[in-house]
Amino acid sequence: VINGMESMAARASEGERMLRLAFQSFELKTIAPESVSLPEQKVWLGQQGMVPVSLAEPMLIAGHKAAFENAKTEIVLDKALEAPVKKGDRVGRLVVTLEGRPPVEAPIIAEADVKKIGFVGKAVAGLSALISGTGS
């Protein structure tokens, strides 16, 4: 509803101007899994210490064009990653936050298998954690 205009034509013109401004100021972005490089994630008690991860599906994000410049992204793991991990396992989610909008989330998956270390490996990992002070 547009009030305060002198005629129907003026209201229609102002309505069109406001819609054009809105369409020019806002953007709908699709973030494809292959367009994003995510950092590897640490795996506890795995034969490899890190596992590559990627988006499991495209993300669709709508917002003001200026808000995309200050977007915040973070990886939130479902839990601490502990071996074994299988390629394709969901390990967490990517959260993108634009100012004034609710966060948008998409699942992230492991891109490689990580096998569990054996008894000797566990003993070495435990001893290393104890020596470095990172063990509990």
Side-chain angles (χ1 to χ4, degrees):
V1 174
I2 300 173
N3 292 320
M5 306 303 288
E6 295 181 12
S7 68
M8 290 273 296
R11 282 191 293 277
S13 177
E14 181 63 11
E16 181 181 332
R17 184 190 73 77
M18 290 173 64
L19 281 172
R20 193 171 37 255
L21 181 63
F23 281 115
Q24 291 172 352
S25 298
F26 286 83
E27 192 169 8
L28 183 63
K29 287 192 175 191
T30 300
I31 300 173
E34 59 274 1
S35 70
V36 178
S37 177
L38 299 175
E40 291 186 335
Q41 298 299 304
K42 184 174 178 136
V43 179
W44 178 247
L45 299 176
Q47 289 181 353
Q48 295 83 29
M50 304 291 278
V51 66
V53 297
S54 67
L55 278 174
E57 58 192 44
M59 294 181 80
L60 194 60
I61 305 173
H64 194 276
K65 287 182 179 180
F68 281 101
E69 295 174 15
N70 298 321
K72 293 184 173 90
T73 60
E74 68 177 317
I75 291 176
V76 179
L77 298 177
D78 293 336
K79 59 183 179 180
L81 282 178
E82 186 174 332
V85 176
K86 291 188 178 187
K87 183 176 180 176
D89 282 353
R90 179 193 156 120
V91 297
R93 62 194 187 279
L94 180 67
V95 181
V96 178
T97 306
L98 299 178
E99 186 177 329
R101 305 282 308 152
V104 178
E105 300 180 358
I108 58 172
I109 57 173
E111 284 296 320
D113 292 334
V114 178
K115 294 181 181 178
K116 196 171 198 167
I117 56 176
F119 175 76
V120 174
K122 286 181 187 178
V124 170
L127 187 57
S128 294
L130 186 62
I131 291 171
S132 68
T134 59
S136 48

